[in-house]
Amino acid sequence: MTGSPDLKDLNRRSKRGGMITIGSQAVTMLMQLTSTVVLARMLTPDDYGVMGMVLSVVALAAIFKDLGLSSAAIQKQNLTVEHQTNLFWINSVFGLLLSGVVFAVAPAVAWFFGRPELTGMTWVLSLTFIFAGLGAQHNSMIVRNMQFGHQGIINVASIAVTFMVSVSLAALDFGFWSLAWGHVAGAAGRTALAWSFSPFFPGLWKRRVGTKELLHFGANVTGFNFVNYFSRNLDNVLIGKFAGADALGIYGRAYQLMMLPIQSLRGPIDAVTFPVLCKLQDKPEEWRRYHIQTLKVIAFLSMPLVAWMFLISSPLIIGLLGEQWAHVIPIFKILAIVAFVQPTSSMIGSALLSVGNTKRYFMHGVVVSPILAIAFAVGIIWGAEGVAWAYVAVIYVTLVPLLASTYRDTSVMVRDFFYSISIPASISITSLVITIVVMKQLEPFSNATEVLLKSAIYIGLFAISICAFPSSRKAISDAQKTLKISIRRSWEK
């Protein structure tokens, strides 16, 4: 890499990159919400359930499409063109092989769920592995180089393509096929844009360039994803198998609606923080400071949002999706309990990978996955809601042990995590409880009025709490400053 750009250019790039990232993520979230609302009124829970059945199985093959090599490329400090080239060919060949494997097992998928139409759906979705393999290293270079503008364009464009194809086919009464072809179109668009934005062009395979080290890193990441699959996707498999496509469609909509804004917030933050943490891995105190401030930022953004979504869930879901999706509401509320802490707790993965501790990352999956799988197997006795409650129980029971394992041998303590999230958590919960109590004393309202009134009370209470406690304002200010400084420093290197 050549010399560092001057400070004025760094300031310009950081401000422009931040604005583009925030803007593109807002557009992305709006488009995803629009897609969810529009398609929910054009398709049925059964259509979404069929798609969910296929995806629960396809997700197993998806574990191997990247082989953890994107994370390896981002984390490695001295990555060469030869490294990139070899990783590209590995990803591309595996993508083609996985496409063939998924195509071959399609009849078995249909047999397992007892739905013959799943054979064709699986064939269609097998195409996504080819595109994913071809674009994996180009996407990782965009993340590694912190090209937030290009990343934003890719995200927005791929979602737009998925939306347009799915809606167009749904309007022509293609049913669940519209979801499958939209998925493929989005994957193709993402890869095409990644190639157009990345200066990297693969050459021929090179021997003895240190590829084994990257494969070892990727193997542990893939190992974690493999064992994690059986727990994180078993909920969909069990619901689809024993409760049917309708129940899986409802469960899937609840999960997607809850995680949509959370992922939209956490996604760009993680895209920024992971490469920065990788650059700071040899500076323990700076790494610690940056990680803690990142937790504060995520907590202040996600916890109030999740509490608000829990509060207005009933009128919001009925108003957006319609009466046919009313059964989404109780599952949505249960999953909100998970979503309240998950955005911050999931940062332990980035923490481990940033310092190259992939073995411990893998062992987390080995320990937690069987626990979650057993919980899901018990929870399915009570249907989709039982599975959701099982998810809540495991996430909270395993939180402290996972934190203790993650922060062992680092400059961060478990108490640092809870201190980082304590203010937004307490204010969000307090504002939520008071709003619920107040609303119980009032007359019933229409959906729109109920959303507006609950939102006004909740936001007012939250704002008053922030203003009343100087520590809250200071925490927000410090977190913002630390993130800006860290991003700027990362560009200087």
Side-chain angles (χ1 to χ4, degrees):
M1 214 172 157
T2 57
S4 301
D6 58 48
L7 184 59
K8 183 181 290 185
D9 184 53
L10 290 172
N11 287 330
R12 179 184 62 80
R13 289 173 64 189
S14 63
K15 290 179 181 178
R16 183 171 180 270
M19 291 176 64
I20 291 174
T21 301
I22 294 172
S24 65
Q25 202 60 34
V27 174
T28 297
M29 186 169 68
L30 180 61
M31 291 179 64
Q32 288 178 322
L33 180 60
T34 302
S35 175
T36 299
V37 172
V38 172
L39 289 172
R41 292 180 177 273
M42 301 177 75
L43 302 174
T44 66
D46 184 79
D47 291 329
Y48 277 101
V50 169
M51 182 68 169
M53 289 175 175
V54 179
L55 289 179
S56 67
V57 177
V58 169
L60 176 59
I63 293 169
F64 302 97
K65 71 179 180 182
D66 179 69
L67 295 174
L69 299 181
S70 291
S71 295
I74 296 169
Q75 194 271 344
K76 186 170 178 61
Q77 292 181 316
N78 299 309
L79 189 73
T80 65
V81 175
E82 288 76 15
H83 288 141
Q84 292 177 256
T85 295
N86 287 1
L87 295 182
F88 167 81
W89 287 115
I90 293 171
N91 282 141
S92 298
V93 170
F94 265 83
L96 185 60
L97 289 174
L98 286 173
S99 180
V101 170
V102 172
F103 189 94
V105 302
V109 175
W111 168 82
F112 178 79
F113 286 106
R115 299 289 295 258
E117 59 267 47
L118 296 187
T119 300
M121 285 279 285
T122 307
W123 286 342
V124 171
L125 289 173
S126 70
L127 297 173
T128 60
F129 294 101
I130 298 175
F131 298 120
L134 291 172
Q137 286 307 308
H138 293 79
N139 276 306
S140 69
M141 288 305 101
I142 291 172
V143 175
R144 177 184 173 89
N145 297 328
M146 304 176 77
Q147 296 173 305
F148 306 125
H150 289 164
Q151 200 174 357
I153 293 171
I154 290 173
N155 290 336
V156 171
S158 62
I159 291 171
V161 171
T162 301
F163 174 66
M164 288 187 292
V165 171
S166 296
V167 169
S168 297
L169 293 178
L172 296 174
D173 294 326
F174 274 78
F176 48 74
W177 292 104
S178 60
L179 299 173
W181 283 112
H183 207 69
V184 173
R190 174 175 288 275
T191 295
L193 283 173
W195 272 73
S196 67
F197 287 141
S198 176
F200 166 64
F201 190 84
L204 298 177
W205 177 275
K206 300 291 183 181
R207 300 181 64 184
R208 299 185 180 90
V209 296
T211 307
K212 284 185 178 180
E213 177 189 347
L214 294 167
L215 288 173
H216 178 72
F217 183 103
N220 282 319
V221 175
T222 303
F224 171 84
N225 292 335
F226 180 73
V227 296
N228 197 45
Y229 162 83
F230 292 100
S231 57
R232 293 302 175 89
N233 287 278
L234 186 61
D235 52 350
N236 293 322
V237 173
L238 290 174
I239 293 171
K241 177 67 175 177
F242 297 106
D246 277 346
L248 179 56
I250 289 169
Y251 181 86
R253 288 309 87 199
Y255 188 89
Q256 185 190 41
L257 278 174
M258 174 50 63
M259 295 309 297
L260 173 59
I262 302 305
Q263 291 171 344
S264 296
L265 289 173
R266 186 181 177 277
I269 293 175
D270 197 33
V272 172
T273 57
F274 180 58
V276 174
L277 285 172
C278 291
K279 292 176 184 291
L280 297 176
Q281 60 184 292
D282 296 325
K283 299 179 179 180
E285 282 308 311
E286 288 191 33
W287 186 93
R288 174 183 179 276
R289 188 180 306 113
Y290 187 81
H291 177 64
I292 290 175
Q293 296 296 356
T294 300
L295 290 174
K296 290 181 180 179
V297 170
I298 294 176
F300 269 108
L301 290 174
S302 64
M303 288 181 164
L305 177 61
V306 172
W308 173 74
M309 292 173 67
F310 179 95
L311 180 67
I312 65 167
S313 56
S314 296
L316 181 67
I317 290 173
I318 295 299
L320 290 178
L321 305 185
E323 292 289 345
Q324 65 171 330
W325 295 95
H327 293 297
V328 166
I329 297 170
I331 299 175
F332 181 89
K333 288 184 174 181
I334 298 169
L335 293 176
I337 302 173
V338 174
F340 189 72
V341 72
Q342 194 177 51
T344 49
S345 65
S346 62
M347 290 301 294
I348 63 178
S350 296
L352 285 171
L353 293 178
S354 69
V355 296
N357 202 338
T358 56
K359 184 176 181 180
R360 193 176 299 173
Y361 182 70
F362 169 62
M363 291 308 299
H364 281 187
V366 171
V367 172
V368 175
S369 293
I371 298 173
L372 201 48
I374 293 171
F376 284 155
V378 174
I380 191 62
I381 297 173
W382 294 275
E385 289 188 33
V387 171
W389 277 116
Y391 193 20
V392 172
V394 173
I395 291 298
Y396 280 90
V397 168
T398 60
L399 177 59
V400 172
L402 288 177
L403 290 173
S405 173
T406 297
Y407 296 142
R408 191 172 72 246
D409 303 324
T410 73
S411 53
V412 181
M413 306 291 286
V414 174
R415 65 173 177 266
D416 292 330
F417 174 88
F418 289 104
Y419 175 76
S420 300
I421 69 172
S422 59
I423 294 175
S426 57
I427 293 177
S428 298
I429 293 173
T430 302
S431 300
L432 172 65
V433 171
I434 294 175
T435 304
I436 292 175
V437 171
V438 171
M439 289 299 298
K440 285 186 177 295
Q441 312 305 316
L442 303 177
E443 296 287 335
F445 299 97
S446 65
N447 286 338
T449 304
E450 185 178 348
V451 169
L452 291 174
L453 189 55
K454 284 183 174 179
S455 299
I457 297 173
Y458 174 79
I459 294 172
L461 289 170
F462 191 88
I464 291 171
S465 300
I466 291 292
C467 294
F469 297 99
S471 57
S472 302
R473 300 195 302 272
K474 186 177 184 302
I476 295 174
S477 177
D478 288 347
Q480 291 174 334
K481 289 177 182 178
T482 301
L483 283 173
K484 288 179 181 178
I485 292 171
S486 299
I487 293 170
R488 192 173 303 153
R489 284 180 180 172
S490 71
W491 265 322
E492 292 173 349
K493 299 180 180 180

